[in-house]
Short mmCIF file of all heavy atoms in Angstrom, two decimals:
data_model
loop_
_atom_site.label_atom_id
_atom_site.label_comp_id
_atom_site.label_asym_id
_atom_site.label_seq_id
_atom_site.Cartn_x
_atom_site.Cartn_y
_atom_site.Cartn_z
N ASP V 1 33.12 -7.33 18.20
CA ASP V 1 33.75 -8.65 18.20
C ASP V 1 33.87 -9.25 19.60
O ASP V 1 34.94 -9.71 20.03
CB ASP V 1 35.14 -8.58 17.54
CG ASP V 1 35.05 -8.15 16.09
OD1 ASP V 1 34.06 -8.50 15.42
OD2 ASP V 1 35.96 -7.44 15.62
N GLY V 2 32.77 -9.22 20.34
CA GLY V 2 32.72 -9.93 21.61
C GLY V 2 33.14 -9.15 22.84
O GLY V 2 33.22 -9.73 23.93
N GLU V 3 33.39 -7.85 22.70
CA GLU V 3 33.77 -7.06 23.87
C GLU V 3 33.41 -5.60 23.65
O GLU V 3 33.21 -5.15 22.52
CB GLU V 3 35.26 -7.19 24.14
CG GLU V 3 36.14 -6.64 23.04
CD GLU V 3 37.62 -6.74 23.36
OE1 GLU V 3 37.94 -6.94 24.54
OE2 GLU V 3 38.45 -6.61 22.43
N PHE V 4 33.33 -4.88 24.78
CA PHE V 4 33.09 -3.44 24.70
C PHE V 4 34.41 -2.71 24.54
O PHE V 4 35.38 -2.97 25.25
CB PHE V 4 32.37 -2.94 25.96
CG PHE V 4 30.87 -3.13 25.90
CD1 PHE V 4 30.26 -4.09 26.68
CD2 PHE V 4 30.10 -2.34 25.06
CE1 PHE V 4 28.88 -4.28 26.63
CE2 PHE V 4 28.73 -2.52 24.99
CZ PHE V 4 28.11 -3.48 25.78
N ILE V 5 34.44 -1.80 23.57
CA ILE V 5 35.60 -0.96 23.30
C ILE V 5 35.30 0.44 23.86
O ILE V 5 34.26 1.02 23.57
CB ILE V 5 35.89 -0.86 21.80
CG1 ILE V 5 36.01 -2.27 21.18
CG2 ILE V 5 37.13 -0.03 21.54
CD1 ILE V 5 37.15 -3.09 21.73
N THR V 6 36.22 0.97 24.65
CA THR V 6 36.03 2.28 25.26
C THR V 6 36.81 3.34 24.50
O THR V 6 37.99 3.17 24.19
CB THR V 6 36.48 2.27 26.73
OG1 THR V 6 35.72 1.30 27.46
CG2 THR V 6 36.26 3.64 27.38
N THR V 7 36.12 4.45 24.19
CA THR V 7 36.75 5.59 23.54
C THR V 7 36.30 6.86 24.27
O THR V 7 35.41 6.83 25.11
CB THR V 7 36.36 5.68 22.05
OG1 THR V 7 34.92 5.62 21.93
CG2 THR V 7 36.95 4.52 21.26
N ASP V 8 36.92 7.97 23.94
CA ASP V 8 36.55 9.23 24.58
C ASP V 8 35.13 9.63 24.20
O ASP V 8 34.66 9.35 23.10
CB ASP V 8 37.52 10.34 24.18
CG ASP V 8 38.91 10.15 24.74
OD1 ASP V 8 39.03 9.42 25.75
OD2 ASP V 8 39.86 10.70 24.17
N ALA V 9 34.47 10.31 25.12
CA ALA V 9 33.11 10.80 24.85
C ALA V 9 33.11 11.71 23.62
O ALA V 9 34.00 12.55 23.45
CB ALA V 9 32.59 11.56 26.07
N MET V 10 32.13 11.50 22.76
CA MET V 10 31.88 12.34 21.59
C MET V 10 33.06 12.37 20.61
O MET V 10 33.21 13.31 19.83
CB MET V 10 31.56 13.78 22.02
CG MET V 10 30.63 13.90 23.20
SD MET V 10 28.96 13.36 22.85
CE MET V 10 28.26 14.86 22.24
N SER V 11 33.89 11.35 20.62
CA SER V 11 35.09 11.37 19.78
C SER V 11 34.86 10.80 18.38
O SER V 11 35.72 10.93 17.52
CB SER V 11 36.22 10.60 20.46
OG SER V 11 35.86 9.24 20.67
N HIS V 12 33.70 10.19 18.15
CA HIS V 12 33.43 9.61 16.83
C HIS V 12 32.14 10.19 16.30
O HIS V 12 31.08 10.06 16.92
CB HIS V 12 33.34 8.09 16.93
CG HIS V 12 33.38 7.39 15.61
ND1 HIS V 12 34.50 7.34 14.82
CD2 HIS V 12 32.42 6.72 14.93
CE1 HIS V 12 34.24 6.66 13.71
NE2 HIS V 12 32.99 6.28 13.75
N LYS V 13 32.23 10.86 15.17
CA LYS V 13 31.09 11.56 14.57
C LYS V 13 30.77 10.99 13.20
O LYS V 13 31.64 10.53 12.48
CB LYS V 13 31.42 13.06 14.45
CG LYS V 13 30.31 13.90 13.84
CD LYS V 13 30.66 15.38 13.85
CE LYS V 13 31.67 15.72 12.79
NZ LYS V 13 31.84 17.21 12.64
N ALA V 14 29.48 11.02 12.85
CA ALA V 14 29.04 10.61 11.52
C ALA V 14 27.90 11.53 11.10
O ALA V 14 27.37 12.30 11.91
CB ALA V 14 28.60 9.15 11.52
N SER V 15 27.54 11.46 9.84
CA SER V 15 26.40 12.21 9.32
C SER V 15 25.28 11.24 8.97
O SER V 15 25.55 10.17 8.40
CB SER V 15 26.81 13.01 8.08
OG SER V 15 25.70 13.70 7.54
N PHE V 16 24.07 11.60 9.34
CA PHE V 16 22.93 10.71 9.08
C PHE V 16 21.76 11.52 8.55
O PHE V 16 21.38 12.54 9.13
CB PHE V 16 22.51 9.99 10.35
CG PHE V 16 21.39 9.00 10.15
CD1 PHE V 16 21.60 7.81 9.47
CD2 PHE V 16 20.11 9.28 10.62
CE1 PHE V 16 20.56 6.91 9.27
CE2 PHE V 16 19.07 8.39 10.44
CZ PHE V 16 19.29 7.20 9.76
N SER V 17 21.19 11.05 7.44
CA SER V 17 20.01 11.69 6.85
C SER V 17 18.76 10.92 7.25
O SER V 17 18.60 9.74 6.90
CB SER V 17 20.13 11.73 5.32
OG SER V 17 21.21 12.55 4.93
N CYS V 18 17.90 11.57 8.00
CA CYS V 18 16.66 10.95 8.46
C CYS V 18 15.64 10.87 7.33
O CYS V 18 15.64 11.71 6.42
CB CYS V 18 16.05 11.74 9.61
SG CYS V 18 17.09 11.87 11.07
N PRO V 19 14.76 9.89 7.38
CA PRO V 19 13.69 9.80 6.37
C PRO V 19 12.65 10.89 6.58
O PRO V 19 12.65 11.61 7.58
CB PRO V 19 13.12 8.40 6.60
CG PRO V 19 13.44 8.09 8.02
CD PRO V 19 14.73 8.78 8.33
N GLU V 20 11.74 11.00 5.62
CA GLU V 20 10.57 11.88 5.69
C GLU V 20 10.95 13.34 5.90
O GLU V 20 10.25 14.10 6.57
CB GLU V 20 9.60 11.40 6.77
CG GLU V 20 9.11 9.97 6.55
CD GLU V 20 8.15 9.49 7.62
OE1 GLU V 20 7.38 10.31 8.16
OE2 GLU V 20 8.17 8.27 7.90
N ASP V 21 12.09 13.74 5.32
CA ASP V 21 12.53 15.14 5.33
C ASP V 21 12.73 15.70 6.73
O ASP V 21 12.60 16.92 6.93
CB ASP V 21 11.53 16.01 4.56
CG ASP V 21 11.44 15.64 3.09
OD1 ASP V 21 12.49 15.33 2.50
OD2 ASP V 21 10.32 15.62 2.54
N VAL V 22 13.06 14.85 7.70
CA VAL V 22 13.40 15.37 9.02
C VAL V 22 14.69 16.17 8.96
O VAL V 22 14.86 17.17 9.67
CB VAL V 22 13.50 14.23 10.05
CG1 VAL V 22 14.01 14.75 11.39
CG2 VAL V 22 12.14 13.56 10.23
N GLY V 23 15.62 15.74 8.11
CA GLY V 23 16.86 16.48 7.92
C GLY V 23 18.09 15.62 8.05
O GLY V 23 18.01 14.41 8.34
N THR V 24 19.24 16.22 7.81
CA THR V 24 20.54 15.56 7.95
C THR V 24 21.25 16.15 9.16
O THR V 24 21.32 17.37 9.32
CB THR V 24 21.39 15.75 6.68
OG1 THR V 24 20.71 15.13 5.57
CG2 THR V 24 22.77 15.11 6.84
N PHE V 25 21.81 15.27 9.99
CA PHE V 25 22.35 15.69 11.27
C PHE V 25 23.70 15.05 11.54
O PHE V 25 23.97 13.93 11.08
CB PHE V 25 21.39 15.31 12.41
CG PHE V 25 20.04 15.95 12.30
CD1 PHE V 25 19.04 15.38 11.51
CD2 PHE V 25 19.76 17.13 12.98
CE1 PHE V 25 17.79 15.98 11.41
CE2 PHE V 25 18.51 17.72 12.89
CZ PHE V 25 17.52 17.15 12.10
N ASN V 26 24.53 15.75 12.30
CA ASN V 26 25.73 15.15 12.86
C ASN V 26 25.32 14.30 14.07
O ASN V 26 24.63 14.78 14.97
CB ASN V 26 26.72 16.21 13.30
CG ASN V 26 27.40 16.90 12.14
OD1 ASN V 26 27.60 16.30 11.08
ND2 ASN V 26 27.76 18.16 12.32
N ILE V 27 25.73 13.04 14.05
CA ILE V 27 25.44 12.15 15.16
C ILE V 27 26.76 11.69 15.77
O ILE V 27 27.77 11.56 15.08
CB ILE V 27 24.58 10.94 14.74
CG1 ILE V 27 25.25 10.15 13.62
CG2 ILE V 27 23.18 11.40 14.33
CD1 ILE V 27 24.50 8.87 13.24
N TYR V 28 26.75 11.46 17.09
CA TYR V 28 27.96 11.12 17.83
C TYR V 28 27.76 9.79 18.55
O TYR V 28 26.72 9.56 19.17
CB TYR V 28 28.30 12.22 18.83
CG TYR V 28 28.64 13.54 18.18
CD1 TYR V 28 27.63 14.39 17.73
CD2 TYR V 28 29.97 13.92 17.99
CE1 TYR V 28 27.94 15.60 17.12
CE2 TYR V 28 30.28 15.12 17.38
CZ TYR V 28 29.26 15.96 16.94
OH TYR V 28 29.58 17.15 16.32
N ARG V 29 28.78 8.95 18.45
CA ARG V 29 28.71 7.65 19.11
C ARG V 29 28.90 7.83 20.62
O ARG V 29 29.80 8.54 21.05
CB ARG V 29 29.76 6.70 18.55
CG ARG V 29 29.58 5.26 19.00
CD ARG V 29 30.49 4.33 18.23
NE ARG V 29 31.90 4.62 18.50
CZ ARG V 29 32.90 4.10 17.80
NH1 ARG V 29 32.65 3.28 16.79
NH2 ARG V 29 34.15 4.39 18.11
N MET V 30 28.03 7.21 21.40
CA MET V 30 28.11 7.29 22.85
C MET V 30 27.58 5.98 23.43
O MET V 30 27.05 5.13 22.72
CB MET V 30 27.30 8.48 23.38
CG MET V 30 25.84 8.49 22.93
SD MET V 30 24.95 9.96 23.49
CE MET V 30 24.78 9.60 25.25
N TYR V 31 27.78 5.84 24.72
CA TYR V 31 27.29 4.62 25.37
C TYR V 31 25.86 4.81 25.84
O TYR V 31 25.50 5.88 26.34
CB TYR V 31 28.18 4.23 26.55
CG TYR V 31 27.70 2.96 27.23
CD1 TYR V 31 27.77 1.75 26.56
CD2 TYR V 31 27.16 3.00 28.50
CE1 TYR V 31 27.32 0.59 27.15
CE2 TYR V 31 26.72 1.84 29.11
CZ TYR V 31 26.79 0.63 28.43
OH TYR V 31 26.33 -0.51 29.01
N HIS V 32 25.06 3.77 25.70
CA HIS V 32 23.70 3.78 26.21
C HIS V 32 23.38 2.39 26.73
O HIS V 32 23.84 1.39 26.18
CB HIS V 32 22.71 4.19 25.11
CG HIS V 32 21.71 5.19 25.57
ND1 HIS V 32 20.36 4.94 25.58
CD2 HIS V 32 21.86 6.45 26.04
CE1 HIS V 32 19.71 6.01 26.02
NE2 HIS V 32 20.60 6.94 26.32
N GLU V 33 22.56 2.34 27.78
CA GLU V 33 22.43 1.11 28.54
C GLU V 33 21.87 -0.08 27.77
O GLU V 33 22.18 -1.23 28.08
CB GLU V 33 21.59 1.34 29.80
CG GLU V 33 20.17 1.80 29.56
CD GLU V 33 19.93 3.19 30.08
OE1 GLU V 33 20.69 4.10 29.70
OE2 GLU V 33 18.98 3.38 30.85
#
């Protein structure tokens, strides 16, 4: 909503299933340029 929100590193986790049978993985929200 119009601004950057700062949280602790690796503090928000989700699960994501990749296509083409790559697998299901825990992914972590982080900052990237």
Side-chain angles (χ1 to χ4, degrees):
D1 298 326
E3 63 178 344
F4 277 108
I5 307 298
T6 300
T7 52
D8 291 338
M10 318 292 272
S11 61
H12 193 69
K13 180 176 75 170
S15 178
F16 183 72
S17 296
C18 299
E20 302 180 32
D21 297 320
V22 173
T24 298
F25 299 84
N26 287 330
I27 57 175
Y28 296 81
R29 191 170 64 191
M30 55 184 287
Y31 180 67
H32 226 242
E33 61 245 54

